[in-house]
């Protein structure tokens, strides 16, 4: 009987917590023009002005920054993959940006990278 009461209390608390999360909000459509501004401010030092991973800081980095002009980088990787890398970073490769730029800016910078550097 006590186990059942504890289980029900746990379920109630879990359902209550779900109802108090952050409110969802819609982002504006991604804007590569705004994304270029973000890229030139935060990304160009590592990834370079041509997106080829040859920014000024790149020689001192290992592994080297991603080369967005390399078709192999894009093979089998979804938009969500790249958005996740920008947002959360990659272990030993890239820092997370979720606490530096907004979710909208992440979408915008990805739109710029994809439309500017991804091989056609």
């Amino acid at each position: 009987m006590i186990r059942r009461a504890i289980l029900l209390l746990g379920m109630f608390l879990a359902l209550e917590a779900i109802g108090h999360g952050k409110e969802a909000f819609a982002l504006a459509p991604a804007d590569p023009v705004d994304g270029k501004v973000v890229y030139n401010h935060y990304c160009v030092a590592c990834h370079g002005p041509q997106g080829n991973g040859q920014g000024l800081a790149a020689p001192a980095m290992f592994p080297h920054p991603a080369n967005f002009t390399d078709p192999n980088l894009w093979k089998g990787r979804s938009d969500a993959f790249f958005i996740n890398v920008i947002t959360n970073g990659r272990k030993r490769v890239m820092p997370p940006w979720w606490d530096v730029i907004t979710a909208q800016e992440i979408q915008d910078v990805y739109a710029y990278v994809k439309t500017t550097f991804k091989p056609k």
Side-chain angles (χ1 to χ4, degrees), residues 1-10:
M1 182 74 160
I2 293 176
R3 290 179 72 183
R4 184 173 181 188
I6 292 172
L7 178 63
L8 289 173
L9 177 62

Side-chain angles (χ1 to χ4, degrees), residues 25-44:
F25 61 94
L27 298 174
D31 183 348
V33 174
D34 289 345
K36 181 177 183 179
V37 174
V38 175
Y39 182 89
N40 286 333
H41 188 77
Y42 294 105
C43 312
V44 74

Side-chain angles (χ1 to χ4, degrees), residues 1-74:
M1 182 74 160
I2 293 176
R3 290 179 72 183
R4 184 173 181 188
I6 292 172
L7 178 63
L8 289 173
L9 177 62
M11 290 173 49
F12 172 78
L13 292 174
L15 290 172
E16 184 66 25
I18 291 170
H20 294 294
K22 289 185 177 182
E23 289 187 36
F25 61 94
L27 298 174
D31 183 348
V33 174
D34 289 345
K36 181 177 183 179
V37 174
V38 175
Y39 182 89
N40 286 333
H41 188 77
Y42 294 105
C43 312
V44 74
C46 297
H47 294 284
Q50 286 79 40
N52 59 5
Q54 298 299 316
L56 292 175
M61 301 174 75
F62 185 80
H64 294 294
N67 175 359
F68 301 127
T69 65
D70 180 359
N72 291 322
L73 177 72
W74 299 90

